[in-house]
Amino acid sequence: MKSFTFIHTADLHLDLPFQGWKGTEGQGGARWQEQRQTLQTIIGLVKERKAAFLLIAGDFLEHETVSRSTAQWVIEQMRQIPGTQVLIAPGNHDPLRPDSFYNTLDWPSHVHIFDAKWEEIQYEEFSLRVYGRGFAEYEEPESCLPTISSPKEGERRILLAHGTYTSHRSESPYFPLCDQDLLPLELDYVALGHIHLPSLHRLNNQRRTWICYPGSPESLRWKETGERTVSVGTFGTEGLQLEQIAVQTRRYEVDSVDVQGCDTEEQVIRRILERVPPGEERNACRRLHLYGRRSADLSLQGEWILHRLKDEGFHYVELADETLPDYDLDQIRERESLAGRFVRKMEERIDGADSEEADLLRQALYKGLDALMVEGNRS
C-alpha cells in the first residue's frame, strides 16, 4: 500500500469579525490580514509535506460576512496545490445554501465540496475511502451516519464532518455524534470541525479509531489562547501516525497581574514587564487583567500605560482594570461615621474568628467599605 499524508483543519471562519476586539480600525485590518496569512501557512505546510489530501471540516468561509473577493482569493490559494485533493465539509457557519460561494463560484477540479447527504469517495491509489457530508442549513439537529460495508484487507477509512462529538448520546443543534454511533463503523480517522479547542480521542474498537478536532488555526476570541494547530496524519507501514503542528500567525494570551502595593503607574508597568518578559511573548495579542488593592490616590491612566507598553515592544494589549482602592483603616476606624463603626465592628469579628473565617471577613470588610465610601462620596 502506498503511504500518504493528509492535513486536517477547520474553523478558520474567514471574514468573521473578531469577537471582543477593542483595537483600532487599522489594527483590525491587520488581524484580518493575519487570518489570511494563516491559510497561506496551511497551504505552505501542504506543499512542504507533499500532502495528498487537505481536509477542511467546516466553518471555513463565514457565510454571513465573507466577501466575494475573499472567496475568490481562497480559490487562488487552492490553485497553488493542484496535486492535493481538497475535501470540504461545510459547517453551520458556512452551510451549502443556494447563495453560498461554494455553489456560486467556480472551484478547481481538485476541490470537492460535500453536500448534505453522505458521500463516499474511493482513492484506489492509496487504498482509501473517504466518507463526508456537510451542513445545508445553519442547524442540523438530526444525526445520521453513512452505511459502511466491512473493510477490505488493508483498506484505510476516513470520515469528514462538522458536528458536536460527545462520548454519550446527547442533543445538539449542530449534528451530534457519539461513541455509540461511531464504534461499529471501524474507521481509522474521524476528521471533525466545530469545537475550537484541539482534542484527540480514541475509540475502543478493533481499529482503535482516532477522533480529532484540530481546533481553530487562528484565534478568533480571547478564550482561544496559546498555539493554534492543524492535525497532520501519515498512513505508512506502521499504520496511522498523528502530529499537531502550530500554524497561527498571532497568538492570543490572557494574563492576570497583581498590582497590590503599587503606588505609582511606573510601578504598575514594572509589574507588567516582570510578568511578560522581553521576547516572543510580547508579539502576541494580549489581554491584561490588573487586580489587587491599589492606593486610593492612584488612578490608572490606561492610554498612557498602553503607550508605554508599546514602547517596550508589546504588539497589542488590552487592559482590564479590576483593581480596588485600598483604604487607611487606622484613619477610618477613628471616625464617628457609619464607615468608622463598620470597620470597628468587622475587626472585632475578625479578631474572634478562625483563620478561614477571618479571610472571608476581611474580604467582606473591603467590599463593605467600597459600598460605603461610594455612597459617602455621592452624599
Side-chain angles (χ1 to χ4, degrees), residues 92-141:
N92 59 295
H93 280 258
D94 59 348
L96 196 63
R97 295 165 63 89
D99 60 342
S100 166
F101 288 128
Y102 292 139
N103 277 324
T104 59
L105 294 180
D106 185 20
W107 291 76
S109 60
H110 66 285
V111 176
H112 181 82
I113 300 165
F114 289 104
D115 64 25
K117 295 182 179 179
W118 283 104
E119 299 178 59
E120 175 185 329
I121 305 178
Q122 186 173 358
Y123 299 94
E124 293 184 1
E125 177 185 4
F126 302 110
S127 300
L128 172 69
R129 290 180 191 268
V130 177
Y131 304 88
R133 58 93 60 196
F135 275 56
E137 298 295 339
Y138 295 113
E139 294 187 358
E140 300 276 356

CSV table of all heavy atoms in Angstrom, one decimal, residues 92-141:
chain,number,residue,atom,x,y,z
A,92,ASN,N,-21.9,24.8,10.2
A,92,ASN,CA,-23.1,25.6,10.5
A,92,ASN,C,-22.8,27.1,10.2
A,92,ASN,O,-23.8,27.8,10.1
A,92,ASN,CB,-23.5,25.4,11.9
A,92,ASN,CG,-22.4,25.7,12.9
A,92,ASN,OD1,-21.4,25.1,13.0
A,92,ASN,ND2,-22.7,26.8,13.7
A,93,HIS,N,-21.6,27.5,10.1
A,93,HIS,CA,-21.3,28.9,9.7
A,93,HIS,C,-21.0,29.1,8.2
A,93,HIS,O,-20.9,30.2,7.8
A,93,HIS,CB,-20.1,29.4,10.5
A,93,HIS,CG,-20.4,29.8,11.9
A,93,HIS,ND1,-20.6,31.1,12.3
A,93,HIS,CD2,-20.6,29.1,13.0
A,93,HIS,CE1,-20.8,31.2,13.6
A,93,HIS,NE2,-20.9,30.0,14.1
A,94,ASP,N,-20.9,28.0,7.5
A,94,ASP,CA,-20.8,28.1,6.0
A,94,ASP,C,-21.6,27.0,5.3
A,94,ASP,O,-21.1,26.2,4.5
A,94,ASP,CB,-19.3,28.0,5.6
A,94,ASP,CG,-18.6,26.7,6.0
A,94,ASP,OD1,-19.2,26.0,6.9
A,94,ASP,OD2,-17.5,26.5,5.6
A,95,PRO,N,-22.9,26.9,5.6
A,95,PRO,CA,-23.7,25.9,5.1
A,95,PRO,C,-23.8,26.0,3.5
A,95,PRO,O,-23.7,27.1,3.0
A,95,PRO,CB,-25.1,26.1,5.7
A,95,PRO,CG,-25.1,27.5,6.1
A,95,PRO,CD,-23.7,27.9,6.5
A,96,LEU,N,-24.1,24.9,2.9
A,96,LEU,CA,-24.2,24.8,1.5
A,96,LEU,C,-25.6,25.2,1.0
A,96,LEU,O,-26.3,24.5,0.5
A,96,LEU,CB,-23.9,23.3,1.0
A,96,LEU,CG,-23.6,23.2,-0.5
A,96,LEU,CD1,-22.3,23.9,-0.8
A,96,LEU,CD2,-23.4,21.7,-0.8
A,97,ARG,N,-25.9,26.5,1.3
A,97,ARG,CA,-27.1,27.1,0.8
A,97,ARG,C,-27.0,27.5,-0.6
A,97,ARG,O,-25.9,27.6,-1.2
A,97,ARG,CB,-27.5,28.3,1.7
A,97,ARG,CG,-27.7,27.9,3.2
A,97,ARG,CD,-27.7,29.1,4.1
A,97,ARG,NE,-28.8,30.1,3.8
A,97,ARG,CZ,-30.0,30.0,4.3
A,97,ARG,NH1,-30.3,29.1,5.2
A,97,ARG,NH2,-30.9,30.9,4.0
A,98,PRO,N,-28.1,27.8,-1.3
A,98,PRO,CA,-28.1,28.2,-2.7
A,98,PRO,C,-27.2,29.4,-3.0
A,98,PRO,O,-26.6,29.5,-4.0
A,98,PRO,CB,-29.6,28.4,-3.0
A,98,PRO,CG,-30.3,27.6,-2.1
A,98,PRO,CD,-29.5,27.6,-0.8
A,99,ASP,N,-27.2,30.3,-2.0
A,99,ASP,CA,-26.4,31.6,-2.3
A,99,ASP,C,-24.9,31.4,-1.7
A,99,ASP,O,-24.2,32.4,-1.7
A,99,ASP,CB,-27.0,32.8,-1.6
A,99,ASP,CG,-27.2,32.6,-0.1
A,99,ASP,OD1,-27.1,31.4,0.4
A,99,ASP,OD2,-27.4,33.6,0.6
A,100,SER,N,-24.5,30.2,-1.3
A,100,SER,CA,-23.2,30.0,-0.8
A,100,SER,C,-22.2,30.2,-1.9
A,100,SER,O,-22.4,29.8,-3.1
A,100,SER,CB,-23.1,28.6,-0.2
A,100,SER,OG,-21.7,28.3,0.0
A,101,PHE,N,-21.0,30.7,-1.6
A,101,PHE,CA,-19.9,30.8,-2.6
A,101,PHE,C,-19.4,29.4,-3.0
A,101,PHE,O,-18.8,29.3,-4.0
A,101,PHE,CB,-18.8,31.7,-2.1
A,101,PHE,CG,-19.1,33.1,-2.0
A,101,PHE,CD1,-18.9,33.9,-0.8
A,101,PHE,CD2,-19.6,33.8,-3.1
A,101,PHE,CE1,-19.2,35.2,-0.8
A,101,PHE,CE2,-19.9,35.1,-3.1
A,101,PHE,CZ,-19.7,35.9,-1.9
A,102,TYR,N,-19.7,28.4,-2.2
A,102,TYR,CA,-19.4,27.1,-2.6
A,102,TYR,C,-20.2,26.7,-3.8
A,102,TYR,O,-19.8,25.9,-4.7
A,102,TYR,CB,-19.8,26.1,-1.5
A,102,TYR,CG,-18.9,26.2,-0.2
A,102,TYR,CD1,-19.4,26.1,1.0
A,102,TYR,CD2,-17.5,26.3,-0.3
A,102,TYR,CE1,-18.6,26.1,2.2
A,102,TYR,CE2,-16.7,26.4,0.8
A,102,TYR,CZ,-17.3,26.3,2.0
A,102,TYR,OH,-16.5,26.4,3.2
A,103,ASN,N,-21.4,27.3,-4.0
A,103,ASN,CA,-22.3,27.0,-5.1
A,103,ASN,C,-22.2,28.0,-6.2
A,103,ASN,O,-22.4,27.6,-7.4
A,103,ASN,CB,-23.8,27.0,-4.6
A,103,ASN,CG,-24.2,25.6,-4.0
A,103,ASN,OD1,-23.7,24.6,-4.5
A,103,ASN,ND2,-25.0,25.7,-3.0
A,104,THR,N,-21.8,29.2,-5.9
A,104,THR,CA,-21.9,30.3,-6.9
A,104,THR,C,-20.6,30.6,-7.6
A,104,THR,O,-20.6,31.4,-8.6
A,104,THR,CB,-22.5,31.6,-6.3
A,104,THR,OG1,-21.7,32.0,-5.2
A,104,THR,CG2,-23.9,31.3,-5.8
A,105,LEU,N,-19.5,30.1,-7.1
A,105,LEU,CA,-18.2,30.3,-7.7
A,105,LEU,C,-17.6,29.0,-8.3
A,105,LEU,O,-18.1,27.9,-8.0
A,105,LEU,CB,-17.2,30.8,-6.7
A,105,LEU,CG,-17.5,32.2,-6.1
A,105,LEU,CD1,-16.4,32.6,-5.1
A,105,LEU,CD2,-17.6,33.3,-7.2
A,106,ASP,N,-16.7,29.2,-9.2
A,106,ASP,CA,-16.1,28.0,-10.0
A,106,ASP,C,-14.9,27.6,-9.2
A,106,ASP,O,-13.8,28.2,-9.3
A,106,ASP,CB,-15.8,28.5,-11.4
A,106,ASP,CG,-15.3,27.3,-12.2
A,106,ASP,OD1,-15.5,26.2,-11.8
A,106,ASP,OD2,-14.6,27.6,-13.3
A,107,TRP,N,-15.0,26.5,-8.5
A,107,TRP,CA,-13.9,25.9,-7.7
A,107,TRP,C,-13.1,25.0,-8.6
A,107,TRP,O,-13.6,24.3,-9.5
A,107,TRP,CB,-14.4,25.2,-6.5
A,107,TRP,CG,-15.0,26.1,-5.5
A,107,TRP,CD1,-16.3,26.7,-5.6
A,107,TRP,CD2,-14.4,26.6,-4.3
A,107,TRP,NE1,-16.5,27.6,-4.5
A,107,TRP,CE2,-15.4,27.5,-3.7
A,107,TRP,CE3,-13.2,26.4,-3.7
A,107,TRP,CZ2,-15.1,28.2,-2.5
A,107,TRP,CZ3,-12.9,27.0,-2.5
A,107,TRP,CH2,-13.9,27.9,-1.9
A,108,PRO,N,-11.8,24.9,-8.3
A,108,PRO,CA,-10.9,24.0,-9.1
A,108,PRO,C,-11.4,22.5,-9.0
A,108,PRO,O,-12.0,22.1,-8.1
A,108,PRO,CB,-9.5,24.2,-8.5
A,108,PRO,CG,-9.6,25.5,-7.7
A,108,PRO,CD,-11.0,25.6,-7.3
A,109,SER,N,-11.0,21.7,-10.0
A,109,SER,CA,-11.5,20.4,-10.1
A,109,SER,C,-10.9,19.5,-9.0
A,109,SER,O,-11.5,18.4,-8.7
A,109,SER,CB,-11.0,19.7,-11.5
A,109,SER,OG,-9.6,19.8,-11.6
A,110,HIS,N,-9.8,19.9,-8.3
A,110,HIS,CA,-9.3,19.0,-7.3
A,110,HIS,C,-9.9,19.4,-5.9
A,110,HIS,O,-9.5,18.8,-4.9
A,110,HIS,CB,-7.7,19.2,-7.2
A,110,HIS,CG,-7.3,20.5,-6.8
A,110,HIS,ND1,-7.3,21.6,-7.6
A,110,HIS,CD2,-6.7,21.0,-5.6
A,110,HIS,CE1,-6.8,22.7,-7.0
A,110,HIS,NE2,-6.5,22.3,-5.8
A,111,VAL,N,-10.9,20.3,-5.9
A,111,VAL,CA,-11.6,20.7,-4.7
A,111,VAL,C,-13.0,20.0,-4.7
A,111,VAL,O,-13.7,20.3,-5.7
A,111,VAL,CB,-11.7,22.2,-4.5
A,111,VAL,CG1,-12.5,22.5,-3.3
A,111,VAL,CG2,-10.3,22.9,-4.5
A,112,HIS,N,-13.3,19.2,-3.7
A,112,HIS,CA,-14.6,18.6,-3.6
A,112,HIS,C,-15.3,19.1,-2.4
A,112,HIS,O,-14.8,19.1,-1.3
A,112,HIS,CB,-14.5,17.1,-3.6
A,112,HIS,CG,-15.8,16.4,-3.5
A,112,HIS,ND1,-16.6,16.2,-4.7
A,112,HIS,CD2,-16.6,15.9,-2.5
A,112,HIS,CE1,-17.7,15.6,-4.3
A,112,HIS,NE2,-17.7,15.4,-3.0
A,113,ILE,N,-16.6,19.6,-2.6
A,113,ILE,CA,-17.4,20.1,-1.5
A,113,ILE,C,-18.5,19.2,-1.3
A,113,ILE,O,-19.4,19.0,-2.2
A,113,ILE,CB,-17.9,21.5,-1.8
A,113,ILE,CG1,-16.7,22.5,-2.1
A,113,ILE,CG2,-18.8,22.1,-0.7
A,113,ILE,CD1,-17.0,23.8,-2.7
A,114,PHE,N,-18.6,18.6,-0.1
A,114,PHE,CA,-19.6,17.6,0.2
A,114,PHE,C,-20.9,18.3,0.4
A,114,PHE,O,-21.0,19.4,1.0
A,114,PHE,CB,-19.2,16.8,1.5
A,114,PHE,CG,-18.1,15.8,1.3
A,114,PHE,CD1,-16.8,16.1,1.8
A,114,PHE,CD2,-18.3,14.6,0.6
A,114,PHE,CE1,-15.8,15.2,1.6
A,114,PHE,CE2,-17.3,13.7,0.4
A,114,PHE,CZ,-16.0,14.0,0.9
A,115,ASP,N,-22.0,17.6,0.0
A,115,ASP,CA,-23.4,18.2,0.3
A,115,ASP,C,-23.9,17.6,1.5
A,115,ASP,O,-23.2,16.9,2.3
A,115,ASP,CB,-24.3,18.0,-1.0
A,115,ASP,CG,-24.6,16.6,-1.3
A,115,ASP,OD1,-24.5,15.7,-0.4
A,115,ASP,OD2,-24.9,16.3,-2.5
A,116,ALA,N,-25.3,17.7,1.7
A,116,ALA,CA,-25.9,17.3,3.0
A,116,ALA,C,-26.2,15.8,3.1
A,116,ALA,O,-26.6,15.4,4.1
A,116,ALA,CB,-27.2,18.1,3.2
A,117,LYS,N,-26.0,15.1,2.0
A,117,LYS,CA,-26.1,13.6,2.1
A,117,LYS,C,-24.7,13.0,2.1
A,117,LYS,O,-23.8,13.5,1.4
A,117,LYS,CB,-26.9,13.2,0.9
A,117,LYS,CG,-28.4,13.6,0.9
A,117,LYS,CD,-29.1,13.1,-0.3
A,117,LYS,CE,-30.6,13.5,-0.3
A,117,LYS,NZ,-31.3,13.0,-1.5
A,118,TRP,N,-24.6,11.9,2.8
A,118,TRP,CA,-23.3,11.3,2.9
A,118,TRP,C,-22.8,10.8,1.5
A,118,TRP,O,-23.6,10.3,0.7
A,118,TRP,CB,-23.3,10.1,3.8
A,118,TRP,CG,-23.3,10.4,5.3
A,118,TRP,CD1,-24.4,10.4,6.1
A,118,TRP,CD2,-22.2,10.9,6.0
A,118,TRP,NE1,-24.0,10.8,7.4
A,118,TRP,CE2,-22.7,11.1,7.3
A,118,TRP,CE3,-20.9,11.1,5.7
A,118,TRP,CZ2,-21.9,11.6,8.4
A,118,TRP,CZ3,-20.1,11.5,6.8
A,118,TRP,CH2,-20.5,11.8,8.0
A,119,GLU,N,-21.5,11.1,1.2
A,119,GLU,CA,-20.9,10.7,0.0
A,119,GLU,C,-19.7,9.8,0.3
A,119,GLU,O,-19.1,9.9,1.4
A,119,GLU,CB,-20.4,11.9,-0.8
A,119,GLU,CG,-21.5,12.8,-1.3
A,119,GLU,CD,-20.9,14.0,-2.0
A,119,GLU,OE1,-20.2,13.7,-3.1
A,119,GLU,OE2,-21.0,15.1,-1.6
A,120,GLU,N,-19.4,8.9,-0.5
A,120,GLU,CA,-18.2,8.0,-0.4
A,120,GLU,C,-17.4,8.2,-1.6
A,120,GLU,O,-17.8,8.1,-2.7
A,120,GLU,CB,-18.7,6.6,-0.3
A,120,GLU,CG,-17.5,5.6,-0.2
A,120,GLU,CD,-18.0,4.1,-0.3
A,120,GLU,OE1,-19.1,3.9,0.3
A,120,GLU,OE2,-17.3,3.3,-0.8
A,121,ILE,N,-16.1,8.5,-1.3
A,121,ILE,CA,-15.1,8.7,-2.4
A,121,ILE,C,-14.0,7.7,-2.2
A,121,ILE,O,-13.4,7.6,-1.1
A,121,ILE,CB,-14.5,10.1,-2.5
A,121,ILE,CG1,-15.6,11.2,-2.6
A,121,ILE,CG2,-13.6,10.3,-3.7
A,121,ILE,CD1,-15.2,12.6,-2.6
A,122,GLN,N,-13.7,7.0,-3.3
A,122,GLN,CA,-12.6,5.9,-3.2
A,122,GLN,C,-11.4,6.4,-3.9
A,122,GLN,O,-11.5,6.9,-5.0
A,122,GLN,CB,-13.1,4.6,-3.8
A,122,GLN,CG,-12.1,3.5,-3.6
A,122,GLN,CD,-12.7,2.1,-4.0
A,122,GLN,OE1,-13.9,2.1,-4.5
A,122,GLN,NE2,-11.9,1.1,-3.9
A,123,TYR,N,-10.2,6.2,-3.3
A,123,TYR,CA,-8.9,6.6,-3.9
A,123,TYR,C,-8.1,5.3,-3.9
A,123,TYR,O,-7.4,4.9,-2.9
A,123,TYR,CB,-8.2,7.7,-3.1
A,123,TYR,CG,-9.0,9.0,-3.0
A,123,TYR,CD1,-9.9,9.2,-2.0
A,123,TYR,CD2,-8.9,9.9,-4.0
A,123,TYR,CE1,-10.6,10.4,-1.9
A,123,TYR,CE2,-9.6,11.1,-4.0
A,123,TYR,CZ,-10.5,11.3,-3.0
A,123,TYR,OH,-11.2,12.5,-2.9
A,124,GLU,N,-8.2,4.5,-5.0
A,124,GLU,CA,-7.6,3.2,-5.0
A,124,GLU,C,-6.1,3.3,-4.9
A,124,GLU,O,-5.5,2.4,-4.4
A,124,GLU,CB,-8.0,2.5,-6.3
A,124,GLU,CG,-9.5,2.2,-6.4
A,124,GLU,CD,-9.8,1.4,-7.7
A,124,GLU,OE1,-8.9,1.2,-8.5
A,124,GLU,OE2,-11.0,1.1,-7.9
A,125,GLU,N,-5.5,4.4,-5.4
A,125,GLU,CA,-4.0,4.5,-5.3
A,125,GLU,C,-3.5,4.4,-3.9
A,125,GLU,O,-2.4,3.9,-3.6
A,125,GLU,CB,-3.6,5.9,-5.9
A,125,GLU,CG,-2.2,6.2,-5.8
A,125,GLU,CD,-1.8,7.6,-6.3
A,125,GLU,OE1,-2.8,8.3,-6.7
A,125,GLU,OE2,-0.6,7.9,-6.4
A,126,PHE,N,-4.4,4.9,-2.9
A,126,PHE,CA,-4.0,4.9,-1.5
A,126,PHE,C,-4.7,3.9,-0.7
A,126,PHE,O,-4.6,3.9,0.5
A,126,PHE,CB,-4.2,6.3,-1.0
A,126,PHE,CG,-3.4,7.4,-1.7
A,126,PHE,CD1,-4.1,8.3,-2.4
A,126,PHE,CD2,-2.1,7.5,-1.6
A,126,PHE,CE1,-3.4,9.4,-3.1
A,126,PHE,CE2,-1.4,8.5,-2.3
A,126,PHE,CZ,-2.1,9.4,-3.0
A,127,SER,N,-5.5,3.0,-1.3
A,127,SER,CA,-6.4,2.1,-0.6
A,127,SER,C,-7.2,2.8,0.4
A,127,SER,O,-7.3,2.4,1.6
A,127,SER,CB,-5.5,1.0,0.1
A,127,SER,OG,-4.8,0.3,-0.9
A,128,LEU,N,-7.8,3.9,0.0
A,128,LEU,CA,-8.5,4.8,0.9
A,128,LEU,C,-10.0,5.1,0.5
A,128,LEU,O,-10.2,5.2,-0.7
A,128,LEU,CB,-7.8,6.2,1.0
A,128,LEU,CG,-8.5,7.3,1.7
A,128,LEU,CD1,-8.5,7.0,3.2
A,128,LEU,CD2,-7.8,8.6,1.4
A,129,ARG,N,-10.9,5.1,1.5
A,129,ARG,CA,-12.2,5.5,1.3
A,129,ARG,C,-12.5,6.7,2.2
A,129,ARG,O,-12.1,6.6,3.4
A,129,ARG,CB,-13.2,4.4,1.6
A,129,ARG,CG,-13.3,3.3,0.6
A,129,ARG,CD,-14.3,2.2,0.9
A,129,ARG,NE,-14.1,1.0,0.1
A,129,ARG,CZ,-14.8,0.8,-1.0
A,129,ARG,NH1,-15.6,1.7,-1.5
A,129,ARG,NH2,-14.6,-0.3,-1.7
A,130,VAL,N,-13.0,7.8,1.7
A,130,VAL,CA,-13.4,8.9,2.5
A,130,VAL,C,-14.9,9.1,2.4
A,130,VAL,O,-15.5,9.1,1.4
A,130,VAL,CB,-12.7,10.2,2.0
A,130,VAL,CG1,-13.2,11.4,2.8
A,130,VAL,CG2,-11.2,10.1,2.0
A,131,TYR,N,-15.5,9.2,3.6
A,131,TYR,CA,-16.9,9.5,3.8
A,131,TYR,C,-17.1,10.9,4.3
A,131,TYR,O,-16.5,11.3,5.3
A,131,TYR,CB,-17.6,8.5,4.8
A,131,TYR,CG,-17.3,7.0,4.4
A,131,TYR,CD1,-16.1,6.4,4.8
A,131,TYR,CD2,-18.2,6.3,3.6
A,131,TYR,CE1,-15.9,5.0,4.5
A,131,TYR,CE2,-18.0,5.0,3.3
A,131,TYR,CZ,-16.8,4.4,3.7
A,131,TYR,OH,-16.6,3.1,3.3
A,132,GLY,N,-18.0,11.7,3.6
A,132,GLY,CA,-18.1,13.1,4.0
A,132,GLY,C,-19.5,13.6,3.8
A,132,GLY,O,-20.3,13.1,3.0
A,133,ARG,N,-19.9,14.6,4.6
A,133,ARG,CA,-21.2,15.3,4.5
A,133,ARG,C,-21.0,16.7,5.1
A,133,ARG,O,-20.2,16.9,5.9
A,133,ARG,CB,-22.3,14.5,5.1
A,133,ARG,CG,-22.2,14.2,6.5
A,133,ARG,CD,-22.9,15.2,7.5
A,133,ARG,NE,-24.3,15.4,7.2
A,133,ARG,CZ,-25.0,16.4,7.6
A,133,ARG,NH1,-24.4,17.3,8.3
A,133,ARG,NH2,-26.3,16.5,7.3
A,134,GLY,N,-21.9,17.6,4.6
A,134,GLY,CA,-21.8,18.9,5.1
A,134,GLY,C,-23.2,19.4,5.5
A,134,GLY,O,-24.2,18.8,5.4
A,135,PHE,N,-23.2,20.6,6.1
A,135,PHE,CA,-24.4,21.3,6.5
A,135,PHE,C,-25.1,21.9,5.3
A,135,PHE,O,-24.4,22.5,4.5
A,135,PHE,CB,-24.1,22.4,7.6
A,135,PHE,CG,-24.0,21.9,9.0
A,135,PHE,CD1,-23.1,20.9,9.4
A,135,PHE,CD2,-24.8,22.5,10.0
A,135,PHE,CE1,-23.0,20.5,10.7
A,135,PHE,CE2,-24.7,22.1,11.3
A,135,PHE,CZ,-23.8,21.1,11.6
A,136,ALA,N,-26.4,21.8,5.3
A,136,ALA,CA,-27.2,22.6,4.2
A,136,ALA,C,-27.9,23.8,4.9
A,136,ALA,O,-28.3,24.7,4.2
A,136,ALA,CB,-28.2,21.7,3.6
A,137,GLU,N,-28.0,23.8,6.2
A,137,GLU,CA,-28.6,24.9,6.9
A,137,GLU,C,-27.8,25.2,8.1
A,137,GLU,O,-26.8,24.6,8.4
A,137,GLU,CB,-30.1,24.5,7.4
A,137,GLU,CG,-31.0,24.2,6.2
A,137,GLU,CD,-31.3,25.4,5.4
A,137,GLU,OE1,-31.1,26.5,5.8
A,137,GLU,OE2,-31.7,25.2,4.2
A,138,TYR,N,-28.2,26.3,8.9
A,138,TYR,CA,-27.4,26.7,10.0
A,138,TYR,C,-27.5,25.8,11.2
A,138,TYR,O,-26.6,25.8,12.0
A,138,TYR,CB,-27.9,28.1,10.4
A,138,TYR,CG,-27.6,29.2,9.4
A,138,TYR,CD1,-28.7,29.8,8.8
A,138,TYR,CD2,-26.3,29.6,9.1
A,138,TYR,CE1,-28.5,30.8,7.8
A,138,TYR,CE2,-26.1,30.6,8.1
A,138,TYR,CZ,-27.2,31.2,7.5
A,138,TYR,OH,-26.9,32.1,6.6
A,139,GLU,N,-28.5,25.0,11.2
A,139,GLU,CA,-28.6,24.0,12.3
A,139,GLU,C,-28.9,22.6,11.7
A,139,GLU,O,-29.7,22.5,10.7
A,139,GLU,CB,-29.7,24.3,13.3
A,139,GLU,CG,-29.3,25.6,14.1
A,139,GLU,CD,-30.3,25.8,15.2
A,139,GLU,OE1,-31.3,25.1,15.4
A,139,GLU,OE2,-30.1,26.8,16.0
A,140,GLU,N,-28.3,21.6,12.2
A,140,GLU,CA,-28.6,20.2,11.8
A,140,GLU,C,-28.7,19.3,13.0
A,140,GLU,O,-27.8,18.6,13.5
A,140,GLU,CB,-27.4,19.7,10.9
A,140,GLU,CG,-27.1,20.5,9.7
A,140,GLU,CD,-28.0,20.1,8.5
A,140,GLU,OE1,-28.7,19.1,8.7
A,140,GLU,OE2,-27.9,20.7,7.5
A,141,PRO,N,-29.9,19.4,13.7
A,141,PRO,CA,-30.1,18.6,15.0
A,141,PRO,C,-30.2,17.1,14.8
A,141,PRO,O,-30.0,16.4,15.8
A,141,PRO,CB,-31.4,19.3,15.5
A,141,PRO,CG,-32.1,19.7,14.3
A,141,PRO,CD,-31.1,20.1,13.3
